[in-house]
Amino acid sequence: GKYYFYATARVNSSAVFTELVSSIYKNGAVQAEVNMNNTNRVSTSVSTILDLNVGDYVEHYIYQNAGNNKGFYGETNRTFFLGYKLIG
C-alpha cells in the first residue's frame, strides 16, 4: 500500500554547514532527499509517499559536514520520524 513518511531533525549546534542532508531510504535506496548547502539553518525536514510491500523497510538518515560531530536534540517536537498508511 501507499504510505506517507516525514522526518525532521534539529542539530544541537550553531555551526555553518557546507552540507546538511536529510534522506528517506526504502530497502537501502534513497527515495527522497533534501540537501541544504552553505546554510546556518540547524534543522532539516524531508517527506515522501512510498509504495510498500511486506518485508520493505524505511529509514531516515542525516548527513552533515560542518567539520566534526554534531548532536541532535532528542525531544519529540524537534527530532522525529513518522509514517502512516494512506487509504484509498
Side-chain angles (χ1 to χ4, degrees):
K2 290 193 181 293
Y3 291 79
Y4 172 80
F5 290 95
Y6 176 83
T8 189
R10 184 174 172 102
V11 181
N12 186 5
S13 171
S14 61
V16 174
F17 297 94
T18 52
E19 225 178 348
L20 182 59
V21 182
S22 183
S23 307
I24 294 177
Y25 284 70
K26 173 184 163 186
N27 299 332
V30 173
Q31 301 298 304
E33 188 169 81
V34 173
N35 186 347
M36 295 185 294
N37 292 314
N38 299 314
T39 183
N40 63 351
R41 291 193 55 171
V42 293
S43 63
T44 179
S45 300
V46 62
S47 64
T48 190
I49 295 174
L50 299 175
D51 283 312
L52 298 180
N53 296 306
V54 173
D56 288 340
Y57 63 96
V58 179
E59 301 168 292
H60 176 235
Y61 287 99
I62 298 172
Y63 168 80
Q64 63 83 21
N65 68 347
N68 56 19
N69 292 336
K70 301 293 180 211
F72 289 88
Y73 287 103
E75 295 92 355
T76 57
N77 64 334
R78 295 187 180 182
T79 300
F80 59 89
F81 179 44
L82 65 84
Y84 55 86
K85 184 171 181 163
L86 300 174
I87 298 175

